Amino acid sequence: ADLITAKVATIGEKITVRRFARFAANENSMVDTYIHMGGKVGVLVEVATEAGDNEAVKELAHDICLQIAAAKPEAVRREEVNSENLEKEREIYRVKALESGKPEKIVDKIVEGQIEKYYKEVCLLDQQFVKDGDKTIKGVVAEVAKAVGSPIDVIRYARFERGEGI
């Protein structure tokens, strides 16, 4: 409240905080941040690792922040995808396949193929790495984990975009 009051006094405009996230690192995790385009997009990511204060892990966490800012994933992993959205997508793909005249017996296979593509768009770990389209985020995480000799896991992230939800 004091910070908001001070900022209002400085800029002379009323402001409200609609969303915020606070991540605290512990001995087995690290938090990285990224601000894009002069504050238009902000990202926090928490990565679990036992590698300690390792430069390769820091670089990976920063690359993941860049990925989140650019690709706007909805979830870290498939299990976290909103089930309502997933069912809506399934229904849309089913209707499209049936309307295009596909036989009923192959519609389910087509729908599952489309759902796989959907996961690659909305799940961070399944997305193509923005710095190297031949790799997925899951693959990049595995490479760095192998290099540092310690497992690495993306725990959570928060992505904020100015004006989002207004």
Side-chain angles (χ1 to χ4, degrees), residues 12-121:
E13 295 285 336
K14 182 181 178 213
I15 60 172
T16 58
V17 177
R18 291 184 298 119
R19 291 185 351 148
F20 76 94
R22 181 175 178 200
F23 294 177
N26 59 40
E27 65 275 355
N28 293 325
S29 71
M30 66 172 300
V31 174
D32 195 48
T33 63
Y34 175 68
I35 304 292
H36 185 68
M37 297 177 58
K40 185 175 180 194
V41 176
V43 176
L44 288 166
V45 69
E46 184 176 1
V47 177
T49 181
E50 295 174 5
D53 195 23
N54 185 294
E55 277 305 310
V57 176
K58 285 181 183 178
E59 185 177 336
L60 172 67
H62 191 71
D63 286 345
I64 292 171
C65 283
L66 296 174
Q67 177 78 25
I68 293 165
K72 300 180 186 179
E74 294 177 15
V76 175
R77 43 193 71 71
R78 292 179 179 207
E79 305 82 56
E80 298 170 6
V81 173
N82 183 317
S83 60
E84 289 177 17
N85 291 353
L86 192 57
E87 287 309 311
K88 285 179 190 174
E89 291 295 321
R90 277 188 205 283
E91 188 58 33
I92 290 168
Y93 297 141
R94 176 173 293 289
V95 169
K96 282 184 181 178
L98 291 171
E99 286 178 352
S100 68
K102 302 292 183 198
E104 182 71 37
K105 61 184 177 183
I106 67 167
V107 167
D108 288 336
K109 289 182 181 180
I110 292 171
V111 169
E112 288 310 309
Q114 293 297 321
I115 291 298
E116 281 298 313
K117 288 181 183 177
Y118 177 72
Y119 279 137
K120 290 178 182 181
E121 292 175 19

